[in-house]
Amino acid sequence: MTLLHDLIGAPPGSTTRSLLLRLSAIGAVLAASAGTFAYAGGWLSPGALTPARIVDRFEQVNGPHPGFRRNHAKGLCVSGSFAANGTGARLSKASLFAAGRVTPVEGRVALAGGQPYAADAEAIVRSLALRFRLPDGEEWRTGMNNIPVFPVRTPEAFYDQLLAAKPDPATGKPDPERLKAFFAAHPESAKAAALIKARTITSGFADSTYWGLNAFRFVAADGRATPVRWAVVPERASAPETAAQAARTDRNFLFDDVAAQLRQGPLRWHLVATLGRPDDPVADATLPWPSNRESVDLGTLTLTGAAPEAEGNCRDVNFDPLVLPDGIAPSDDPLLSARSAAYARSFTRRAGEEKSPSAVAATPARGADL
């Protein structure tokens, strides 16, 4: 009995009944913990959508590419800093918004899709992912795209869309009937697709605007919360792709261009927060907010360096959208937790895989410290 007392942490003199009750409580905790892991793994509900199934779907659509991200597989590391102008301090207590604060930034420009060696094309969605390193050990990670809204509202719709948009090997394009069926089942996605198609596609990474798409909350020092969506808007004037650019045979022309531009000098964007109102949708990334919402310029993002992905740089960073500093909080958008979980699963898989050389072998730009 003394050994049993020691194993379960029961006080001396406990009765047999109290020992059994304590054992039952411990068993309940263990069962609950096991159930949590089982649920996360999809063992108790094989039909449920899990992070593993989402990553599996990417592999099903794009094929196996060990060592690479399952989405936005083709990318280039960038580095620089963010200089706050102080206007964000009234909205968020996050230290990076304090006037005069300069925060180191590392990031990644990339193209959507899970095929790292695919040729660049103007219509492919471009992304900019950033990791802000705050001086007190906090971090802010965000992934943005050059589209004004997200094409789906829920993780389940995203999972279905991946298969619906899978190119037919015979044509290289998605099956029209399969896409038609998807949009019939998801009319909100049809409206979002129209907005995405109508956007202006610029000449490259440097003159693209990147939207955060999901809503978040800025939390001020007094506890006041404001719904926000953010974007980075380029200082460089936007220009459409020229006929000469469209005719180029360079498979990496978008990445080669931004690396060359960084060798010539810094590239700058303004971090702009759009402030939502109580009735604006915060849990539906397919819906744009009204154009008359207040926008606040929070400061300047300056990129100064670029380098191919390699050990220890952006290749090994999980740009989890829920890595947030005190002063920025998630909204109720269901895509946020799904993205976080799927990113973690993808990161875990590729971390254990043999790495191939970077799909983009750009010459490092001056100031590259990645």
Side-chain angles (χ1 to χ4, degrees):
M1 186 65 75
T2 300
L3 178 59
L4 183 60
H5 276 84
D6 294 339
L7 286 173
I8 65 175
S14 299
T15 65
T16 300
R17 183 173 182 276
S18 65
L19 291 174
L20 291 175
L21 289 174
R22 184 175 288 266
L23 280 171
S24 298
I26 293 173
V29 170
L30 292 174
S33 300
T36 299
F37 285 112
Y39 175 77
W43 302 332
L44 299 182
S45 50
L49 183 60
T50 63
R53 290 187 64 200
I54 292 176
V55 177
D56 288 345
R57 176 57 59 89
F58 273 111
E59 294 174 355
Q60 175 188 359
V61 169
N62 296 298
H65 299 283
F68 289 97
R69 283 172 165 82
R70 272 39 182 186
N71 192 18
H72 298 271
K74 186 177 186 180
L76 177 72
C77 295
V78 292
S79 62
S81 62
F82 172 72
N85 57 25
T87 59
R90 68 178 175 88
L91 300 167
S92 170
K93 59 186 175 182
S95 61
L96 82 160
F97 295 134
R101 175 64 56 83
V102 178
T103 302
V105 173
E106 61 184 302
R108 185 175 186 265
V109 291
L111 295 178
Q115 298 186 22
Y117 302 106
D120 294 358
E122 65 164 0
I124 300 176
V125 173
R126 303 166 195 163
S127 68
L128 173 62
L130 299 173
R131 179 191 193 187
F132 299 76
R133 291 178 177 269
L134 283 63
D136 51 6
E138 289 186 303
E139 290 189 11
W140 178 26
R141 303 185 190 184
T142 179
M144 299 167 285
N145 296 279
N146 72 328
I147 52 177
V149 293
F150 200 64
V152 296
R153 186 179 61 206
T154 66
E156 292 78 13
F158 181 71
Y159 182 75
D160 292 341
Q161 183 221 22
L162 284 174
L163 188 58
K166 180 182 180 181
D168 185 326
T171 65
K173 299 179 180 179
D175 183 331
E177 290 303 315
R178 195 159 53 191
L179 276 180
K180 181 180 178 181
F182 171 80
F183 285 128
H186 302 278
E188 73 282 358
S189 291
K191 295 178 181 178
L195 292 173
I196 293 170
K197 185 177 180 180
R199 80 193 192 280
T200 298
I201 300 176
T202 63
S203 61
F205 286 110
D207 61 352
S208 290
T209 293
Y210 301 93
W211 286 271
L213 301 178
N214 302 110
F216 287 79
R217 291 182 296 122
F218 278 177
V219 182
D222 62 3
R224 177 172 50 90
T226 304
V228 297
R229 285 176 171 171
W230 54 70
V232 290
V233 181
E235 285 190 355
R236 178 173 292 217
S238 296
E241 183 182 52
T242 66
Q245 289 173 319
R248 292 198 312 184
T249 58
D250 177 8
R251 295 176 61 84
N252 297 333
F253 71 91
L254 288 170
F255 294 97
D256 291 344
D257 282 353
V258 73
Q261 289 157 352
L262 283 167
R263 286 195 293 273
Q264 295 171 5
L267 298 174
R268 295 183 176 87
W269 288 258
H270 288 264
L271 177 61
V272 178
T274 299
L275 311 186
R277 297 179 183 174
D279 56 343
D280 288 332
V282 297
D284 189 343
T286 68
L287 295 176
W289 285 352
S291 59
N292 63 352
R293 295 297 180 258
E294 179 185 359
S295 292
V296 179
D297 186 335
L298 304 173
T300 303
L301 168 70
T302 302
L303 296 184
T304 56
E309 294 185 284
E311 183 177 359
N313 65 14
C314 79
R315 188 197 72 182
D316 299 326
V317 177
N318 174 11
F319 291 98
D320 184 337
L322 293 184
V323 175
L324 303 167
D326 188 24
I328 305 178
S331 68
D332 295 330
D333 190 332
L335 291 174
L336 285 173
S337 57
R339 286 176 61 194
S340 178
Y343 286 13
R345 180 55 62 100
S346 174
F347 180 84
T348 301
R349 286 193 186 179
R350 70 175 186 271
E353 296 169 345
E354 184 177 350
K355 303 298 186 292
S356 300
S358 172
V360 180
T363 302
R366 67 176 188 175
D369 54 3
L370 298 169

